Amino acid sequence: MYALVSLAGQQFKVAKDQQIFVHRLQGDEGASIAFDNVLLAENEGKFTIGYRFEKANVSAKIVSHLKGDNSDHLQKERRKGYKKKNGHRQPIYQNRDHPV
């Protein structure tokens, strides 16, 4: 049993008890989310195709929000004694192969 679902502007093939990495979703960690954009559902060899049909529903739980690597930026003026270092970790918004 699997389904094709449209999440965050992308389509994903999801199955029961499968973990996927999706763009950062709104919600707290541990919150449950129901998706209504089910494009295709397969159950025991029978396919149901349609855009946003009511017979299938997909629910998920947000496990964690991830951040990217640390990005440092250094500003310096030569011979002036001026140095300024900034850094941040940006939330990951792109779909990357990540072992979640």
Side-chain angles (χ1 to χ4, degrees):
M1 175 180 221
Y2 67 90
L4 290 176
V5 182
S6 177
L7 305 173
Q10 294 180 338
Q11 295 179 5
F12 294 94
K13 180 180 176 183
V14 295
K16 186 175 181 180
D17 298 329
Q18 178 186 6
Q19 290 186 355
I20 61 171
F21 180 76
V22 184
H23 293 288
R24 184 171 174 154
L25 299 173
Q26 297 295 327
D28 297 327
E29 293 182 4
S32 294
I33 298 176
F35 302 108
D36 59 348
N37 294 342
V38 180
L39 305 175
L40 178 136
E42 185 270 333
N43 189 8
E44 298 175 1
K46 295 182 180 179
F47 291 93
T48 307
I49 300 172
Y51 184 69
R52 296 184 182 180
F53 57 91
E54 291 81 23
K55 294 180 182 178
N57 59 1
V58 175
S59 61
K61 184 174 98 173
I62 297 176
V63 177
S64 66
H65 294 295
L66 302 175
K67 289 189 176 183
D69 295 332
N70 192 10
S71 172
D72 291 333
H73 177 74
L74 180 67
Q75 291 180 338
K76 179 182 173 185
E77 289 191 20
R78 191 167 73 157
R79 294 186 300 269
K80 305 295 183 202
Y82 174 77
K83 290 182 185 177
K84 186 164 106 176
K85 182 178 179 181
N86 291 326
H88 71 282
R89 291 185 65 199
Q90 181 143 351
I92 297 175
Y93 290 106
Q94 297 179 354
N95 185 10
R96 297 179 181 164
D97 294 331
H98 195 277
V100 174

XYZ file of all heavy atoms in Angstrom:
807
model
N 0.839 -1.174 0.000
C 0.000 0.000 0.000
C 0.885 1.237 0.000
O 1.765 1.371 0.844
C -0.906 -0.013 1.227
C -1.724 1.222 1.380
S -2.748 1.126 2.829
C -4.214 1.824 2.183
N 0.676 2.102 -0.962
C 1.416 3.349 -1.012
C 0.531 4.424 -1.615
O -0.548 4.155 -2.134
C 2.726 3.200 -1.794
C 2.572 2.946 -3.268
C 2.506 4.002 -4.161
C 2.513 1.658 -3.766
C 2.368 3.779 -5.519
C 2.380 1.427 -5.114
C 2.310 2.491 -5.992
O 2.177 2.262 -7.327
N 1.008 5.657 -1.542
C 0.257 6.788 -2.087
C 1.238 7.823 -2.610
O 2.374 7.924 -2.147
C -0.632 7.406 -1.015
N 0.797 8.579 -3.600
C 1.537 9.729 -4.082
C 0.872 10.973 -3.506
O -0.324 11.184 -3.689
C 1.525 9.798 -5.609
C 2.337 8.746 -6.330
C 2.166 8.877 -7.828
C 3.791 8.859 -5.966
N 1.657 11.766 -2.799
C 1.122 12.914 -2.076
C 1.879 14.160 -2.502
O 3.089 14.120 -2.718
C 1.273 12.696 -0.553
C 0.681 13.843 0.213
C 0.639 11.402 -0.138
N 1.179 15.262 -2.613
C 1.807 16.537 -2.910
C 2.048 17.271 -1.596
O 1.111 17.637 -0.897
C 0.901 17.366 -3.827
O 1.477 18.620 -4.060
N 3.324 17.454 -1.248
C 3.713 18.116 -0.003
C 4.687 19.235 -0.317
O 5.691 19.016 -0.983
C 4.406 17.142 0.956
C 3.694 15.871 1.342
C 4.614 14.994 2.155
C 2.469 16.205 2.136
N 4.414 20.408 0.158
C 5.324 21.555 0.052
C 5.777 21.799 -1.384
O 6.930 22.085 -1.640
C 6.527 21.360 0.973
N 4.864 21.639 -2.341
C 5.189 21.909 -3.724
C 5.900 20.780 -4.450
O 6.298 20.942 -5.596
N 6.083 19.643 -3.813
C 6.729 18.495 -4.434
C 5.856 17.264 -4.239
O 5.015 17.224 -3.348
C 8.098 18.236 -3.823
C 9.096 19.327 -4.077
C 10.433 19.006 -3.437
O 10.518 18.220 -2.508
N 11.478 19.624 -3.953
N 6.072 16.260 -5.085
C 5.324 15.019 -4.975
C 6.217 13.941 -4.374
O 7.372 13.802 -4.744
C 4.822 14.578 -6.344
C 3.813 15.532 -6.933
C 3.352 15.090 -8.302
O 3.719 14.027 -8.781
N 2.544 15.920 -8.938
N 5.647 13.187 -3.429
C 6.382 12.134 -2.740
C 5.586 10.846 -2.791
O 4.363 10.853 -2.691
C 6.607 12.503 -1.267
C 7.509 13.675 -1.064
C 6.989 14.951 -0.924
C 8.873 13.516 -1.015
C 7.807 16.035 -0.742
C 9.714 14.595 -0.824
C 9.174 15.857 -0.690
N 6.309 9.736 -2.939
C 5.707 8.413 -2.825
C 5.896 7.975 -1.384
O 7.022 7.829 -0.909
C 6.382 7.430 -3.776
C 5.813 6.039 -3.711
C 6.536 5.127 -4.684
C 6.027 3.708 -4.560
N 6.756 2.805 -5.443
N 4.805 7.769 -0.678
C 4.877 7.438 0.747
C 4.191 6.100 0.991
O 3.258 5.721 0.303
C 4.227 8.532 1.627
C 4.999 9.821 1.529
C 2.785 8.763 1.256
N 4.696 5.397 1.977
C 4.122 4.126 2.407
C 3.933 4.185 3.917
O 4.403 5.106 4.586
C 5.030 2.966 2.015
N 3.276 3.188 4.443
C 3.013 3.144 5.876
C 4.325 2.997 6.646
O 5.207 2.227 6.257
C 2.082 1.986 6.194
C 1.641 1.952 7.619
C 0.638 0.861 7.859
C 0.208 0.887 9.303
N -0.761 -0.160 9.592
N 4.469 3.741 7.733
C 5.634 3.712 8.629
C 6.935 4.077 7.920
O 8.000 3.614 8.293
C 5.784 2.340 9.298
C 4.592 2.001 10.163
O 3.976 2.941 10.712
O 4.269 0.815 10.298
N 6.870 4.932 6.916
C 8.053 5.374 6.196
C 8.411 6.783 6.645
O 7.543 7.615 6.872
C 7.785 5.379 4.694
C 8.949 5.881 3.870
C 8.595 6.009 2.398
O 7.450 5.829 2.022
N 9.571 6.316 1.595
N 9.704 7.041 6.801
C 10.162 8.378 7.143
C 10.704 9.043 5.893
O 11.501 8.446 5.163
C 11.260 8.329 8.209
C 10.758 7.921 9.561
C 11.847 8.035 10.610
O 12.986 8.336 10.309
N 11.482 7.792 11.844
N 10.271 10.276 5.642
C 10.755 11.027 4.494
C 11.237 12.383 4.961
O 10.839 12.863 6.023
C 9.682 11.182 3.393
C 8.466 11.938 3.929
C 9.287 9.865 2.812
C 7.483 12.319 2.862
N 12.097 12.982 4.154
C 12.599 14.319 4.438
C 11.887 15.290 3.517
O 11.930 15.161 2.304
C 14.107 14.372 4.207
C 14.685 15.726 4.473
C 14.864 16.158 5.767
C 15.011 16.559 3.438
C 15.384 17.401 6.019
C 15.537 17.807 3.676
C 15.720 18.229 4.973
N 11.189 16.252 4.097
C 10.383 17.210 3.361
C 10.867 18.598 3.723
O 11.506 18.802 4.758
C 8.887 17.047 3.738
C 8.006 17.969 2.923
C 8.445 15.617 3.554
N 10.542 19.566 2.866
C 10.808 20.948 3.220
C 10.274 21.217 4.617
O 9.338 20.564 5.069
C 10.077 21.898 2.267
C 10.588 21.868 0.876
N 11.792 22.390 0.524
C 10.043 21.377 -0.251
C 11.965 22.236 -0.763
N 10.930 21.616 -1.265
N 10.823 22.191 5.253
C 10.397 22.502 6.614
C 8.907 22.844 6.634
O 8.443 23.722 5.930
C 11.207 23.665 7.158
C 10.875 23.953 8.581
C 11.820 24.940 9.165
N 11.350 25.259 10.497
C 12.125 25.664 11.451
N 13.399 25.795 11.237
N 11.647 25.950 12.623
N 8.166 22.120 7.452
C 6.730 22.317 7.565
C 6.420 23.158 8.797
O 7.160 23.149 9.781
C 6.014 20.968 7.684
C 6.196 20.015 6.515
C 5.587 18.678 6.856
C 5.562 20.588 5.275
N 5.316 23.872 8.737
C 4.889 24.652 9.886
C 4.335 23.693 10.942
O 3.538 22.820 10.652
C 3.799 25.649 9.476
C 4.269 26.676 8.481
C 5.329 27.597 9.059
O 5.307 27.906 10.238
N 6.261 28.006 8.229
N 4.760 23.855 12.156
C 4.287 23.009 13.245
C 5.407 22.688 14.204
O 6.593 22.824 13.889
N 5.032 22.279 15.380
C 6.000 21.913 16.400
C 6.447 20.472 16.200
O 5.766 19.675 15.551
C 5.388 22.065 17.793
C 5.019 23.511 18.095
O 5.734 24.408 17.603
O 4.027 23.725 18.805
N 7.586 20.148 16.788
C 8.065 18.776 16.727
C 7.112 17.877 17.504
O 6.692 18.196 18.604
C 9.473 18.684 17.301
C 10.497 19.398 16.463
C 11.899 19.258 17.008
O 12.076 18.536 17.998
O 12.809 19.873 16.438
N 6.757 16.762 16.934
C 5.830 15.834 17.557
C 4.384 16.075 17.169
O 3.510 15.292 17.519
N 4.101 17.145 16.429
C 2.732 17.442 16.018
C 2.331 16.558 14.841
O 3.160 16.181 14.019
C 2.605 18.911 15.631
N 1.053 16.227 14.772
C 0.530 15.430 13.660
C -0.057 16.359 12.611
O -0.697 17.348 12.931
C -0.549 14.469 14.149
O 0.009 13.520 15.017
N 0.156 15.999 11.348
C -0.336 16.787 10.227
C -1.084 15.852 9.294
O -0.637 14.736 9.032
C 0.826 17.453 9.470
C 1.577 18.411 10.367
C 0.318 18.203 8.258
C 2.788 19.015 9.710
N -2.239 16.293 8.801
C -3.006 15.529 7.818
C -2.873 16.215 6.463
O -3.017 17.428 6.357
C -4.466 15.437 8.232
N -2.581 15.440 5.421
C -2.416 15.970 4.073
C -3.616 15.557 3.237
O -3.993 14.392 3.202
C -1.134 15.434 3.436
C 0.094 15.766 4.230
C 0.758 14.789 4.936
C 0.566 17.062 4.277
C 1.884 15.083 5.665
C 1.696 17.370 5.012
C 2.359 16.378 5.702
N -4.204 16.533 2.545
C -5.373 16.231 1.724
C -5.058 16.177 0.241
O -5.912 15.855 -0.560
C -6.478 17.255 1.974
C -6.031 18.669 1.659
O -4.832 18.878 1.470
O -6.912 19.545 1.621
N -3.817 16.450 -0.156
C -3.439 16.430 -1.560
C -2.939 15.044 -1.961
O -1.790 14.863 -2.323
C -2.363 17.479 -1.855
C -2.873 18.878 -1.678
O -4.073 19.097 -1.662
N -1.984 19.819 -1.529
N -3.807 14.050 -1.909
C -3.457 12.688 -2.310
C -3.764 12.551 -3.792
O -4.899 12.711 -4.219
C -4.241 11.648 -1.487
C -3.873 10.243 -1.924
C -3.984 11.831 -0.012
N -2.741 12.277 -4.589
C -2.911 12.212 -6.039
C -3.196 10.801 -6.534
O -3.903 10.611 -7.514
C -1.651 12.747 -6.726
C -1.222 14.154 -6.298
C 0.086 14.523 -6.958
C -2.294 15.152 -6.624
N -2.640 9.792 -5.847
C -2.812 8.406 -6.253
C -2.707 7.537 -5.007
O -1.900 7.810 -4.126
C -1.722 8.007 -7.253
C -1.722 6.572 -7.750
C -1.504 6.563 -9.242
C -0.642 5.766 -7.074
N -3.525 6.503 -4.955
C -3.455 5.551 -3.849
C -3.517 4.136 -4.415
O -4.307 3.860 -5.324
C -4.593 5.768 -2.860
N -2.668 3.251 -3.888
C -2.629 1.856 -4.313
C -2.895 0.990 -3.100
O -2.288 1.152 -2.052
C -1.255 1.528 -4.899
C -1.149 0.133 -5.470
C -0.699 -0.884 -4.442
O -0.012 -0.514 -3.490
O -1.054 -2.058 -4.597
N -3.860 0.069 -3.233
C -4.198 -0.837 -2.146
C -4.466 -2.210 -2.746
O -5.450 -2.400 -3.453
C -5.424 -0.324 -1.383
C -5.671 -1.114 -0.121
O -4.857 -1.947 0.265
N -6.787 -0.864 0.517
N -3.556 -3.148 -2.486
C -3.667 -4.527 -2.955
C -3.867 -4.605 -4.466
O -4.706 -5.337 -4.971
C -4.805 -5.237 -2.228
C -4.587 -5.340 -0.726
C -5.779 -5.934 -0.010
O -6.764 -6.293 -0.686
O -5.725 -6.035 1.218
N -3.093 -3.837 -5.201
C -3.149 -3.885 -6.655
C -4.228 -3.029 -7.287
O -4.323 -2.945 -8.503
N -5.072 -2.380 -6.501
C -6.120 -1.514 -7.043
C -5.678 -0.066 -6.886
O -5.323 0.368 -5.800
C -7.437 -1.734 -6.311
C -7.990 -3.121 -6.513
C -9.308 -3.279 -5.825
C -9.841 -4.690 -6.034
N -11.123 -4.887 -5.366
N -5.717 0.654 -7.984
C -5.277 2.040 -7.991
C -6.473 2.977 -7.981
O -7.460 2.731 -8.672
C -4.423 2.337 -9.232
C -3.096 1.658 -9.200
C -2.922 0.418 -9.792
C -2.018 2.238 -8.574
C -1.705 -0.216 -9.770
C -0.791 1.621 -8.542
C -0.630 0.381 -9.143
N -6.362 4.034 -7.227
C -7.350 5.101 -7.229
C -6.611 6.371 -7.591
O -5.688 6.781 -6.889
C -8.010 5.248 -5.849
O -8.519 3.987 -5.452
C -9.123 6.251 -5.905
N -7.005 6.978 -8.697
C -6.318 8.150 -9.201
C -7.280 9.330 -9.167
O -8.438 9.217 -9.535
C -5.819 7.932 -10.645
C -4.857 6.747 -10.684
C -5.157 9.181 -11.177
C -4.463 6.329 -12.063
N -6.788 10.433 -8.723
C -7.604 11.640 -8.699
C -6.884 12.734 -7.965
O -5.912 12.499 -7.246
N -7.337 13.929 -8.161
C -6.717 15.065 -7.501
C -7.564 15.453 -6.296
O -8.725 15.833 -6.443
C -6.590 16.234 -8.471
C -5.862 17.410 -7.893
C -4.509 17.331 -7.623
C -6.528 18.577 -7.597
C -3.822 18.390 -7.095
C -5.850 19.652 -7.068
C -4.499 19.561 -6.820
O -3.834 20.629 -6.275
N -6.997 15.299 -5.127
C -7.657 15.651 -3.862
C -8.973 14.897 -3.655
O -10.015 15.487 -3.443
C -7.914 17.150 -3.797
C -6.684 17.970 -3.785
C -7.037 19.405 -3.615
N -5.827 20.209 -3.648
C -5.806 21.501 -3.525
N -6.913 22.151 -3.355
N -4.694 22.159 -3.555
N -8.924 13.600 -3.751
C -10.145 12.847 -3.488
C -10.252 12.541 -2.001
O -9.269 12.497 -1.273
C -10.224 11.574 -4.343
C -9.067 10.633 -4.191
C -9.101 9.636 -3.253
C -7.955 10.740 -5.001
C -8.046 8.762 -3.110
C -6.897 9.879 -4.879
C -6.937 8.882 -3.930
N -11.470 12.352 -1.533
C -11.734 12.268 -0.097
C -11.558 10.867 0.485
O -11.552 10.695 1.688
C -13.158 12.740 0.199
C -13.378 14.222 -0.024
C -13.615 14.581 -1.470
O -14.045 13.689 -2.240
O -13.352 15.720 -1.845
N -11.423 9.838 -0.346
C -11.368 8.483 0.168
C -10.055 8.167 0.868
O -10.010 7.310 1.725
C -11.592 7.485 -0.961
C -12.979 7.555 -1.549
C -13.138 6.563 -2.655
C -14.520 6.672 -3.264
N -14.680 5.742 -4.373
N -8.996 8.832 0.493
C -7.681 8.539 1.077
C -7.215 9.736 1.895
O -7.421 10.884 1.515
C -6.672 8.233 -0.019
N -6.612 9.448 3.016
C -6.000 10.515 3.804
C -4.643 10.032 4.282
O -4.439 8.871 4.564
C -6.895 10.943 4.974
C -7.205 9.800 5.908
O -6.748 8.690 5.700
N -7.989 10.055 6.918
N -3.727 10.953 4.332
C -2.367 10.650 4.760
C -2.066 11.550 5.939
O -2.277 12.762 5.890
C -1.361 10.907 3.618
C 0.060 10.708 4.099
C -1.660 9.994 2.442
N -1.613 10.957 7.014
C -1.235 11.743 8.181
C 0.232 11.465 8.500
O 0.750 10.394 8.210
C -2.113 11.407 9.386
O -1.965 10.053 9.725
N 0.869 12.464 9.081
C 2.288 12.344 9.384
C 2.583 13.030 10.703
O 1.775 13.808 11.215
C 3.120 12.966 8.277
N 3.751 12.722 11.247
C 4.205 13.338 12.485
C 5.547 14.010 12.216
O 6.419 13.425 11.584
C 4.358 12.279 13.571
C 4.725 12.844 14.929
C 4.716 11.760 15.968
C 6.141 11.297 16.165
N 6.314 10.369 17.256
N 5.691 15.252 12.681
C 6.949 15.966 12.511
C 7.931 15.431 13.543
O 7.711 15.554 14.745
C 6.743 17.476 12.690
C 5.804 18.013 11.622
C 8.079 18.201 12.632
C 5.468 19.465 11.778
N 9.008 14.816 13.063
C 9.997 14.229 13.961
C 10.948 15.311 14.463
O 11.172 15.441 15.662
C 10.778 13.098 13.244
C 11.845 12.541 14.153
C 9.828 12.002 12.817
N 11.516 16.089 13.543
C 12.435 17.146 13.963
C 12.598 18.150 12.834
O 12.361 17.841 11.670
C 13.797 16.575 14.348
O 14.420 16.022 13.215
N 12.991 19.354 13.200
C 13.359 20.377 12.241
C 14.884 20.404 12.183
O 15.555 20.449 13.211
C 12.837 21.752 12.658
C 11.344 21.845 12.642
N 10.606 21.740 11.487
C 10.449 22.037 13.634
C 9.335 21.873 11.766
N 9.208 22.044 13.064
N 15.435 20.379 10.986
C 16.878 20.311 10.826
C 17.433 21.665 10.421
O 16.746 22.482 9.818
C 17.234 19.285 9.753
C 16.742 17.866 10.001
C 17.059 16.997 8.807
C 17.382 17.305 11.238
N 18.691 21.876 10.749
C 19.402 23.068 10.313
C 20.614 22.642 9.519
O 21.147 21.555 9.695
C 19.845 23.911 11.508
C 18.708 24.605 12.206
C 19.239 25.565 13.219
C 18.112 26.350 13.863
N 18.629 27.342 14.804
N 21.065 23.534 8.641
C 22.225 23.248 7.808
C 23.515 23.428 8.574
O 23.544 23.649 9.788
N 24.607 23.377 7.852
C 25.918 23.561 8.452
C 26.115 25.013 8.853
O 25.452 25.918 8.338
C 27.015 23.148 7.476
C 26.971 21.662 7.162
O 26.501 20.897 8.030
O 27.397 21.281 6.061
N 27.063 25.236 9.748
C 27.357 26.583 10.203
C 28.024 27.367 9.083
O 28.960 26.903 8.453
C 28.258 26.527 11.430
C 28.372 27.839 12.140
O 27.629 28.763 11.831
N 29.266 27.929 13.090
N 27.535 28.583 8.849
C 28.079 29.448 7.818
C 28.676 30.675 8.491
O 27.970 31.425 9.160
C 26.973 29.858 6.847
O 27.453 30.830 5.961
N 29.982 30.871 8.339
C 30.663 32.001 8.955
C 30.962 33.056 7.907
O 31.291 32.739 6.764
C 31.970 31.564 9.613
C 31.737 30.712 10.840
O 30.677 30.865 11.473
O 32.610 29.888 11.161
N 30.877 34.297 8.321
C 31.183 35.422 7.446
C 32.109 36.360 8.207
O 31.794 36.778 9.322
C 29.894 36.145 7.051
C 30.139 37.341 6.206
N 30.501 37.250 4.890
C 30.083 38.651 6.494
C 30.647 38.465 4.405
N 30.399 39.342 5.348
N 33.252 36.684 7.634
C 34.241 37.519 8.299
C 34.414 38.818 7.524
O 34.627 38.799 6.312
C 35.580 36.780 8.388
C 36.728 37.523 9.051
C 36.443 37.718 10.536
C 38.025 36.788 8.860
N 34.303 39.937 8.246
C 34.583 41.244 7.662
C 35.851 41.779 8.305
O 35.986 41.725 9.527
C 33.443 42.219 7.914
C 32.185 41.895 7.162
C 31.095 42.901 7.452
O 31.122 43.577 8.461
N 30.133 42.976 6.556
N 36.737 42.303 7.488
C 37.997 42.800 8.009
C 38.474 43.957 7.143
O 38.324 43.926 5.918
C 39.046 41.680 7.982
C 40.397 42.091 8.474
C 41.392 40.955 8.370
C 42.760 41.494 8.731
N 43.803 40.526 8.557
N 39.009 44.955 7.786
C 39.646 46.043 7.063
C 41.132 45.992 7.369
O 41.539 45.958 8.536
C 39.055 47.395 7.444
C 37.655 47.569 6.907
C 37.162 48.984 7.056
O 37.988 49.899 7.220
O 35.939 49.166 6.998
N 41.900 46.014 6.348
C 43.335 45.863 6.450
C 43.959 47.061 7.174
O 43.630 48.212 6.910
C 43.882 45.741 5.029
C 45.296 45.315 4.936
C 45.612 44.927 3.528
N 45.713 46.112 2.665
C 46.386 46.123 1.531
N 46.967 45.018 1.104
N 46.448 47.206 0.814
N 44.843 46.757 8.096
C 45.624 47.748 8.859
C 44.753 48.713 9.675
O 45.203 49.778 10.053
C 46.542 48.549 7.928
C 47.624 47.717 7.280
C 48.584 48.570 6.485
N 47.938 49.309 5.416
C 47.793 48.879 4.164
N 48.239 47.668 3.842
N 47.238 49.625 3.260
N 43.528 48.407 9.940
C 42.668 49.284 10.733
C 42.293 48.660 12.076
O 41.690 49.313 12.906
C 41.374 49.611 9.977
C 41.577 50.210 8.619
C 42.235 51.565 8.708
C 42.352 52.161 7.316
N 43.354 53.172 7.195
N 42.593 47.392 12.253
C 42.250 46.715 13.495
C 40.764 46.394 13.595
O 40.247 46.207 14.680
N 40.088 46.337 12.460
C 38.643 46.079 12.448
C 38.394 44.664 11.969
O 38.798 44.271 10.878
C 37.952 47.073 11.506
C 36.475 46.803 11.317
C 35.562 47.154 12.296
C 36.002 46.189 10.166
C 34.219 46.906 12.118
C 34.655 45.937 9.984
C 33.769 46.303 10.967
O 32.433 46.057 10.803
N 37.754 43.871 12.840
C 37.348 42.515 12.486
C 35.948 42.292 13.033
O 35.643 42.689 14.158
C 38.279 41.470 13.089
C 39.652 41.436 12.497
C 40.466 40.345 13.143
C 41.896 40.368 12.656
N 42.709 39.351 13.324
N 35.112 41.646 12.241
C 33.766 41.317 12.679
C 33.410 39.952 12.099
O 33.544 39.733 10.892
C 32.778 42.371 12.202
C 31.379 42.171 12.733
C 30.574 43.447 12.538
C 29.589 43.255 11.419
N 28.723 44.425 11.239
N 33.000 39.038 12.955
C 32.669 37.689 12.519
C 31.203 37.420 12.837
O 30.762 37.597 13.966
C 33.555 36.668 13.233
C 33.299 35.242 12.803
C 34.238 34.289 13.508
C 33.961 32.881 13.103
N 34.823 31.927 13.784
N 30.470 37.028 11.830
C 29.067 36.649 11.985
C 28.908 35.207 11.516
O 29.616 34.761 10.627
C 28.147 37.548 11.149
C 28.092 38.950 11.684
O 28.165 39.152 12.885
N 27.968 39.921 10.792
N 27.948 34.527 12.087
C 27.657 33.170 11.670
C 26.215 32.829 11.961
O 25.587 33.433 12.823
N 25.690 31.881 11.223
C 24.326 31.428 11.464
C 24.157 30.026 10.896
O 24.962 29.561 10.095
C 23.314 32.384 10.834
C 23.277 32.322 9.340
N 24.223 32.918 8.545
C 22.418 31.704 8.501
C 23.945 32.685 7.281
N 22.859 31.945 7.221
N 23.108 29.373 11.361
C 22.723 28.071 10.826
C 21.324 28.218 10.251
O 20.371 28.436 10.981
C 22.737 27.011 11.922
C 24.136 26.706 12.405
C 24.131 25.588 13.395
N 23.687 24.368 12.752
C 23.242 23.311 13.414
N 23.178 23.335 14.720
N 22.857 22.234 12.776
N 21.222 28.125 8.957
C 19.953 28.333 8.281
C 19.134 27.048 8.295
O 19.676 25.964 8.110
C 20.210 28.767 6.845
C 18.953 29.020 6.073
C 19.112 30.183 5.141
O 20.098 30.880 5.199
N 18.135 30.379 4.308
N 17.809 27.163 8.500
C 16.964 25.963 8.388
C 17.032 25.402 6.980
O 17.134 26.144 6.006
C 15.559 26.487 8.694
C 15.765 27.758 9.416
C 17.053 28.320 8.923
N 16.988 24.081 6.882
C 17.066 23.427 5.582
C 15.690 23.477 4.941
O 14.712 23.008 5.504
C 17.535 21.970 5.724
C 18.949 21.940 6.298
C 17.480 21.254 4.387
C 19.452 20.559 6.578
N 15.625 24.065 3.756
C 14.369 24.155 3.033
C 14.369 23.280 1.793
O 13.346 23.067 1.190
C 14.096 25.595 2.609
C 13.766 26.483 3.767
C 14.680 27.409 4.228
C 12.558 26.381 4.411
C 14.370 28.221 5.292
C 12.247 27.192 5.487
C 13.155 28.118 5.915
O 12.856 28.912 6.982
N 15.510 22.767 1.357
C 15.577 21.992 0.144
C 15.527 20.511 0.465
O 15.954 20.074 1.524
C 16.853 22.296 -0.615
C 16.933 23.738 -1.072
C 18.234 24.015 -1.794
O 19.099 23.175 -1.845
N 18.354 25.208 -2.324
N 15.014 19.735 -0.469
C 14.949 18.293 -0.307
C 16.328 17.717 -0.627
O 16.799 17.788 -1.740
C 13.902 17.704 -1.252
C 13.727 16.230 -1.038
O 14.240 15.678 -0.072
N 13.013 15.591 -1.905
N 16.987 17.179 0.378
C 18.296 16.590 0.196
C 18.264 15.155 0.711
O 17.423 14.794 1.505
C 19.340 17.373 0.979
C 19.474 18.800 0.496
C 20.500 19.533 1.303
N 20.593 20.895 0.838
C 21.153 21.847 1.520
N 21.670 21.630 2.692
N 21.204 23.074 1.043
N 19.176 14.353 0.232
C 19.271 12.994 0.744
C 19.832 13.051 2.143
O 21.010 13.337 2.343
C 20.168 12.143 -0.159
C 19.568 11.957 -1.533
O 18.328 11.974 -1.613
O 20.318 11.814 -2.496
N 18.979 12.834 3.106
C 19.386 12.942 4.503
C 18.877 11.720 5.246
O 17.709 11.371 5.140
C 18.795 14.216 5.120
C 19.454 14.585 6.408
N 19.076 14.017 7.597
C 20.454 15.425 6.692
C 19.818 14.511 8.568
N 20.658 15.373 8.048
N 19.734 11.052 5.986
C 19.296 9.840 6.693
C 18.481 10.156 7.929
O 18.968 10.138 9.036
C 20.626 9.166 7.062
C 21.572 10.297 7.171
C 21.151 11.325 6.167
N 17.221 10.501 7.732
C 16.343 10.820 8.873
C 15.623 9.570 9.292
O 15.178 8.801 8.504
C 15.343 11.920 8.497
C 14.369 12.146 9.614
C 16.082 13.182 8.168
